[in-house]
Amino acid sequence: DVKVTQSSRYLVKRTGEKVFLECVQDMDHENMFWYRQDPGLGLRLIYFSYDVKMKEKGDIPEGYSVSREKKERFSLILESASTNQTSMYLCASSFSRTGIGSPLHFGNGTRLTVT
Amino acid sequence: LAKTTQPISMDSYEGQEVNITCSHNNIATNDYITWYQQFPSQGPRFIIQGYKTKVTNEVASLFIPADRKSSTLSLPRVSLSDTAVYYCLVGVRNTGFQKLVFGTGTRLLVSP
């Protein structure tokens, strides 16, 4: 079974802090994604990556950046955390370069609270 | 952008068949339709995927009409453990790659 592991289940940070959310997958998947999930808004795509050192913006990239130095690891960075970034963050991975026909495998999420 | 529309919520009873419809009027020729299930405090889990007509696996069926502008997830004989949020996902082409966009999800509540 594919395993997508997010480093923290719960995280509490202060406004203005730099925050790193880490995600590791163990199936050699090319594609990795970061979503955030908020009540009433469903899942929204922040950033995605189809290869090492490659990244593309999703629907809500503002206030976030990402890093993919190794194929198995995809990091989400909040440069200066704000209270409106309090949310559940979900990492996912999939195989194949295009992602067509390839299901996403999700981690269990990191619930981030910014105070 | 192939936006999807689903009912916000549905109620059912144990043993009934549940059909959840997703509308995706702007689906592109090469897009697939995928459904996910999500329980509280967990990430979404893949259920089923299809391109056209009908697909069936051990947990669900997916019906896609010829125009592909909608799809219906069918869950036979639901149980309490099927209470979850169900997401319809349609692939969106973006400079040769897929930019995957989720719908808002349908909250299914199964009662005894």
Side-chain angles (χ1 to χ4, degrees), chain A residues 10 39 50 72 76 85 92 105:
Chain A
Y10 299 94
Y50 288 103
E72 67 271 18
L76 180 69
Q85 291 178 310
H105 298 268

Side-chain angles (χ1 to χ4, degrees), chain A residues 9 33 35 37 43 45 48 50 56 59 90 97-104 106-108, chain B residues 30 32 36 38 41-44 46 49 87 89 93-95 97-102 104:
Chain A
R9 196 85 167 95
F33 306 80
Y35 290 85
Q37 184 171 31
L43 279 80
L45 181 63
F48 58 106
Y50 288 103
E56 284 203 34
D59 297 319
L90 290 158
R97 176 162 287 278
T98 64
I100 295 175
S102 143
L104 294 168
F106 282 87
N108 279 332
Chain B
N30 293 331
Y32 279 71
Y36 289 81
Q38 186 178 25
S41 301
Q42 294 185 24
F46 170 79
Q49 186 176 71
Y87 290 94
L89 185 67
R93 191 167 297 280
N94 180 33
T95 63
F97 297 103
Q98 285 273 328
K99 182 178 164 183
L100 302 171
V101 179
F102 276 78
T104 54

Side-chain angles (χ1 to χ4, degrees), chain B residues 4 15 20 24-25 29 38 54 63 72 81 93 102-103 111:
Chain B
T4 61
I20 306 174
H24 28 78
N25 291 319
T29 302
Q38 186 178 25
K54 178 184 174 183
F63 298 93
T72 299
S81 62
R93 191 167 297 280
F102 276 78
S111 300

Side-chain angles (χ1 to χ4, degrees), chain A residues 36-56:
Chain A
R36 65 176 282 178
Q37 184 171 31
D38 301 286
L41 296 176
L43 279 80
R44 293 180 291 167
L45 181 63
I46 305 172
Y47 266 98
F48 58 106
S49 169
Y50 288 103
D51 203 349
V52 175
K53 297 191 187 293
M54 180 272 179
K55 60 185 178 186
E56 284 203 34

Side-chain angles (χ1 to χ4, degrees), chain A residues 65-88:
Chain A
S65 62
V66 291
S67 172
R68 192 161 181 206
E69 296 297 319
K70 294 185 178 180
K71 191 174 184 180
E72 67 271 18
R73 186 179 298 270
F74 193 35
S75 302
L76 180 69
I77 303 157
L78 287 66
E79 294 291 341
S80 178
S82 63
T83 54
N84 63 14
Q85 291 178 310
T86 291
S87 185
M88 170 70 87

